[in-house]
Structure formats: structure tokens, C-alpha cells
């Protein structure tokens, strides 16, 4: 199985901050990586596919980058609505795996 | 617009079999590259992919749970059913039905639409 490791597990930040979440794969997954946002009590929402393709309707302050084994999700200027938990997911093959999540908290 | 909705029991006893149904609309599972799957989330924990069924009838399962899972489809009803045998309290969590999308054939794909989830509690 391909293991996905996110860091940090928890991130405290303020409105307006620029934040970066990292996701590492245990082996190369090319660019086959998605990012999701999950708010408490809600289903996850797809933000980014193929490492850097922003889904329609997702604010441009979100961006993704990386390939191979190391990926990042960046929020350029945090807004109150962005405080949530974020997950990466690899789809290099037909055995899907998620990272353990990064909880973005208000400082 | 794609919608998915999970249905099934909210409480099951240990050793029982769980059967969950996903009823979807807005696409046909028989269309090339489509897929419908299940993902679960224990309370306060991370997402875990369980199973997926593809447009061509192919089925894939989480290696760690393969022996306990079966995914089937009823194309005429636009439903996908997941069964999980020998339920245990550690299986408690929210179970999500998802639509799998891929823009490149022969890649795994990602999950662009999710159901609201259904909380399943395993307890005697």
C-alpha cells in the first residue's frame, strides 16, 4: 500500500496568514493527488485534483503543488471559512489512501 | 448535478453484517470511467477508503478489509450496496458514498461528490 503522511497534524494560524500543509507519499505517485476540506459534521469537499488543478468554485487563495512523493497545499491569505481539517489522497493506482489529516485552527 | 445518499441501519450488534445502500442520481454507473465507492471515518479520526465499483463491473477493496467487504450494483435502480461482515465496535463511524471521477483513463481517480454520510454504531 502507498502510505500518505501529512504534516503538521495541527496548525494554528490567524486570519490573513499564509499557511502550507505538506503531504508525503511512501512512493512516487506522479501527480495523482487530491486535496479535500472537511468541516465539522460535514462531508469532505474536493478542493484540488492532479496535485494542482483547482476545482470549479474553489477560491484562488488555495493552491497545490508537487509531484512524485512531496506535495503542498497552500492557502495564501486565511479567511474565517478556511478553518477546517484538510486531507490529501493519492490515486496513483486503484487502492486509494488518505493522509491522516491536518486540522487548521484559529490562533 | 450529482447526488448520492446513504441509507442503512444506525445501530448494529457485534458480529452482525452491515448492509448500506447508496442511491445516486445525475449520472449512470454504466458510463465509461464512472465509479461509486465507500469511505468511512471513525469519530475524530481520518478518512479510510473501503471499496469501489467501476463502470465496467470491476471491483476494488481495501486490502485490510477485503475479506469482510462486498460491493454490488443495481444499475436499474441507480444503487450501490456495500456489505461488511463480522462488525466490531471499532467499525463505528460515518460511512460515505462517493462518486469517483477521472479525467485520465486507467488512473484511480478522485472523489468529486460525496453523500452526506450515515453514522453507524456497533454496540451490543
Amino acid at each position: 500500500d502507498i502510505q500518505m503522511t501529512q504534516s503538521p497534524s495541527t496548525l494554528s494560524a490567524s486570519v490573513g496568514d499564509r499557511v502550507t500543509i505538506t503531504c508525503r507519499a511512501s512512493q512516487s505517485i506522479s501527480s495523482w493527488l487530491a486535496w479535500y476540506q472537511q468541516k465539522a459534521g460535514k462531508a469532505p469537499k474536493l478542493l484540488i485534483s492532479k496535485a494542482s488543478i483547482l476545482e470549479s468554485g474553489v477560491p484562488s487563495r488555495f493552491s497545490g503543488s508537487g509531484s512524485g512523493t512531496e506535495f503542498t497545499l497552500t492557502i495564501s491569505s486565511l479567511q474565517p471559512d478556511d478553518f477546517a481539517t484538510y486531507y490529501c489522497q493519492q490515486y496513483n493506482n486503484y487502492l486509494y489512501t488518505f493522509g491522516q489529516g491536518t486540522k487548521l485552527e484559529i490562533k | 448535478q450529482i447526488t448520492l445518499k446513504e441509507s442503512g441501519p444506525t445501530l448494529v450488534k457485534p458480529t452482525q453484517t452491515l448492509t448500506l445502500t447508496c442511491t445516486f442520481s445525475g449520472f449512470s454507473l454504466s458510463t465509461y470511467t464512472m465509479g461509486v465507492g465507500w469511505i468511512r471515518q471513525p469519530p475524530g479520526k481520518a478518512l479510510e477508503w473501503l471499496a469501489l465499483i467501476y463502470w465496467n463491473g470491476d471491483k476494488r477493496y481495501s486490502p485490510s478489509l477485503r475479506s469482510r467487504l462486498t460491493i454490488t450494483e443495481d444499475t436499474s435502480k441507480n444503487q450501490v450496496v456495500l456489505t461488511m461482515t463480522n462488525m466490531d465496535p471499532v467499525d463505528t463511524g460515518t460511512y460515505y458514498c462517493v462518486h469517483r471521477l477521472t479525467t485520465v483513463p486507467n488512473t484511480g481517480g478522485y472523489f468529486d461528490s460525496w453523500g452526506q454520510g450515515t453514522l453507524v454504531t456497533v454496540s451490543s
Side-chain angles (χ1 to χ4, degrees), chain B residues 28-35 53-58 73 100:
Chain B
S28 171
L29 188 49
S30 58
T31 300
Y32 182 58
T33 78
M34 290 292 123
I53 187 165
Y54 299 87
W55 61 279
N56 58 359
D58 191 17
E73 62 175 307
R100 170 260 194 180

Side-chain angles (χ1 to χ4, degrees), chain A residues 1 32 34 36 38 41-46 49-50 55 87 89 91-101, chain B residues 39 41 45-49 52 54 60-61 63 66 96 100 104-112 114-116:
Chain A
D1 298 8
W32 306 120
Y36 301 85
Q38 186 179 32
K42 301 294 187 183
K45 172 189 173 184
L46 176 66
S49 64
K50 206 179 178 188
E55 287 299 295
Y87 293 94
Q89 174 238 325
Y91 55 101
N92 183 63
N93 54 27
Y94 294 91
L95 299 177
Y96 310 87
T97 46
F98 290 87
Q100 82 278 19
Chain B
I39 290 166
Q41 185 173 39
K45 296 189 177 181
L47 301 164
E48 178 184 21
W49 170 72
L52 206 140
Y54 299 87
R60 300 297 173 107
Y61 298 98
R66 172 187 296 274
Y96 293 101
R100 170 260 194 180
V104 179
N106 299 320
T107 60
Y110 48 91
F111 310 116
D112 67 325
W114 296 61
Q116 64 188 21

Side-chain angles (χ1 to χ4, degrees), chain A residues 1 18 20 32 41 59 80-81 101:
Chain A
D1 298 8
R18 178 185 180 90
T20 297
W32 306 120
D81 192 50

